[in-house]
Amino acid sequence: MTPGRTRSGSARERLIEAASRLFYAHGVVSTGIDTITAEAGVAKMSLYNNFSSKEELVLAYLQERHREWLDLYRNRAETAASPQEKVLAVFDAYIDHASAAYTHGFRGCGLLNAAAELPADSPGRARVRDHKEQVESILTGHLEAITTPEAAARTARHCAFLLEGAIARAGLEGGPDPLRDAREIASAMVAAL
């Protein structure tokens, strides 16, 4: 997620890194293949040797964003000593995401930003939905160690909605403060279980 031009790695890796920076900064639709290949420092043919289409590159970008978030979450969850702390680790991962250095500033969730540009029935939107459902499932799993399955599912959904609103607001404000506020609200919700 940290921007910066790198010329190391395979052509595929460089293309995904370049697409990640450009899609996040300028959007999926407005970023052309020529811009991506120039940023990656590869020939246009390298793109088509690695991806059958721009849509396939977009899917790789979305998968990379998902993997990046999971890495942030896992790093936070490793030090969490209780189920309550593991729930808050999800919020901390979003705070870490919003605190990263971006060339053009923090613009919110890259997955949701991309989904907003894609057709309703696109594979990319399905991939974003899968990510959001996995986040909610992670929350549910931690909450089930605290309360009943029904209450866990309900609270996880509330936390997921809280996260989505906070990440959207953080994108508008350009920083993690709304996510910190959401973390405090989630902490109080979990403590009340």
Side-chain angles (χ1 to χ4, degrees), residues 71-95:
D71 287 348
L72 290 172
Y73 161 71
R74 288 178 183 131
N75 288 336
R76 288 300 193 141
E78 283 177 5
T79 60
S82 68
Q84 292 87 343
E85 288 179 10
K86 289 180 180 180
V87 168
L88 297 178
V90 173
F91 285 80
D92 291 334
Y94 276 86
I95 291 167

Side-chain angles (χ1 to χ4, degrees), residues 165-179:
I167 196 83
R169 186 68 181 267
L172 290 172
E173 294 180 14
D177 288 342
L179 288 157

Side-chain angles (χ1 to χ4, degrees), residues 15 18-19 22-23 26-39 44 47-48 54 57:
L15 285 161
L22 294 166
F23 289 161
H26 305 292
V28 171
V29 173
S30 66
T31 302
I33 295 300
D34 291 337
T35 305
I36 295 167
T37 56
E39 175 83 4
K44 195 172 189 177
L47 185 131
Y48 292 110
K54 183 178 176 183
L57 177 59

